[in-house]
mmCIF file with all atom_site columns, all heavy atoms in Angstrom:
data_model
loop_
_atom_site.group_PDB
_atom_site.id
_atom_site.type_symbol
_atom_site.label_atom_id
_atom_site.label_alt_id
_atom_site.label_comp_id
_atom_site.label_asym_id
_atom_site.label_entity_id
_atom_site.label_seq_id
_atom_site.pdbx_PDB_ins_code
_atom_site.Cartn_x
_atom_site.Cartn_y
_atom_site.Cartn_z
_atom_site.occupancy
_atom_site.B_iso_or_equiv
_atom_site.pdbx_formal_charge
_atom_site.auth_seq_id
_atom_site.auth_comp_id
_atom_site.auth_asym_id
_atom_site.auth_atom_id
_atom_site.pdbx_PDB_model_num
ATOM 1  N N   . HIS A 1 21  ? 131.171 96.916  82.693  1.00 0.00 ? 21  HIS A N   1
ATOM 2  C CA  . HIS A 1 21  ? 132.140 96.850  83.774  1.00 0.00 ? 21  HIS A CA  1
ATOM 3  C C   . HIS A 1 21  ? 132.610 98.264  84.147  1.00 0.00 ? 21  HIS A C   1
ATOM 4  O O   . HIS A 1 21  ? 132.711 98.579  85.313  1.00 0.00 ? 21  HIS A O   1
ATOM 5  C CB  . HIS A 1 21  ? 133.345 95.998  83.425  1.00 0.00 ? 21  HIS A CB  1
ATOM 6  C CG  . HIS A 1 21  ? 133.022 94.534  83.504  1.00 0.00 ? 21  HIS A CG  1
ATOM 7  N ND1 . HIS A 1 21  ? 132.857 93.736  82.400  1.00 0.00 ? 21  HIS A ND1 1
ATOM 8  C CD2 . HIS A 1 21  ? 132.792 93.749  84.573  1.00 0.00 ? 21  HIS A CD2 1
ATOM 9  C CE1 . HIS A 1 21  ? 132.566 92.509  82.776  1.00 0.00 ? 21  HIS A CE1 1
ATOM 10 N NE2 . HIS A 1 21  ? 132.514 92.483  84.100  1.00 0.00 ? 21  HIS A NE2 1
ATOM 11 N N   . LEU A 1 135 ? 104.767 105.297 118.116 1.00 0.00 ? 135 LEU A N   1
ATOM 12 C CA  . LEU A 1 135 ? 103.711 106.310 118.232 1.00 0.00 ? 135 LEU A CA  1
ATOM 13 C C   . LEU A 1 135 ? 102.503 105.781 118.982 1.00 0.00 ? 135 LEU A C   1
ATOM 14 O O   . LEU A 1 135 ? 101.880 106.477 119.762 1.00 0.00 ? 135 LEU A O   1
ATOM 15 C CB  . LEU A 1 135 ? 103.276 106.789 116.840 1.00 0.00 ? 135 LEU A CB  1
ATOM 16 C CG  . LEU A 1 135 ? 104.283 107.689 116.113 1.00 0.00 ? 135 LEU A CG  1
ATOM 17 C CD1 . LEU A 1 135 ? 103.800 108.006 114.709 1.00 0.00 ? 135 LEU A CD1 1
ATOM 18 C CD2 . LEU A 1 135 ? 104.500 108.963 116.895 1.00 0.00 ? 135 LEU A CD2 1
ATOM 19 N N   . SER A 1 163 ? 95.954  119.208 142.371 1.00 0.00 ? 163 SER A N   1
ATOM 20 C CA  . SER A 1 163 ? 95.734  120.523 142.991 1.00 0.00 ? 163 SER A CA  1
ATOM 21 C C   . SER A 1 163 ? 94.831  120.413 144.203 1.00 0.00 ? 163 SER A C   1
ATOM 22 O O   . SER A 1 163 ? 93.916  119.606 144.245 1.00 0.00 ? 163 SER A O   1
ATOM 23 C CB  . SER A 1 163 ? 95.055  121.476 141.975 1.00 0.00 ? 163 SER A CB  1
ATOM 24 O OG  . SER A 1 163 ? 95.669  121.376 140.757 1.00 0.00 ? 163 SER A OG  1
ATOM 25 N N   . GLY A 1 186 ? 77.118  129.463 144.093 1.00 0.00 ? 186 GLY A N   1
ATOM 26 C CA  . GLY A 1 186 ? 75.652  129.513 144.203 1.00 0.00 ? 186 GLY A CA  1
ATOM 27 C C   . GLY A 1 186 ? 74.939  128.885 143.008 1.00 0.00 ? 186 GLY A C   1
ATOM 28 O O   . GLY A 1 186 ? 73.734  128.982 142.937 1.00 0.00 ? 186 GLY A O   1
ATOM 29 N N   . VAL A 1 232 ? 83.836  114.402 132.541 1.00 0.00 ? 232 VAL A N   1
ATOM 30 C CA  . VAL A 1 232 ? 84.780  115.288 133.241 1.00 0.00 ? 232 VAL A CA  1
ATOM 31 C C   . VAL A 1 232 ? 86.068  115.464 132.460 1.00 0.00 ? 232 VAL A C   1
ATOM 32 O O   . VAL A 1 232 ? 86.634  114.511 131.953 1.00 0.00 ? 232 VAL A O   1
ATOM 33 C CB  . VAL A 1 232 ? 85.128  114.721 134.648 1.00 0.00 ? 232 VAL A CB  1
ATOM 34 C CG1 . VAL A 1 232 ? 86.051  115.663 135.413 1.00 0.00 ? 232 VAL A CG1 1
ATOM 35 C CG2 . VAL A 1 232 ? 83.858  114.475 135.431 1.00 0.00 ? 232 VAL A CG2 1
#
Side-chain angles (χ1 to χ4, degrees):
H21 283 107
L135 287 176
S163 315
V232 183

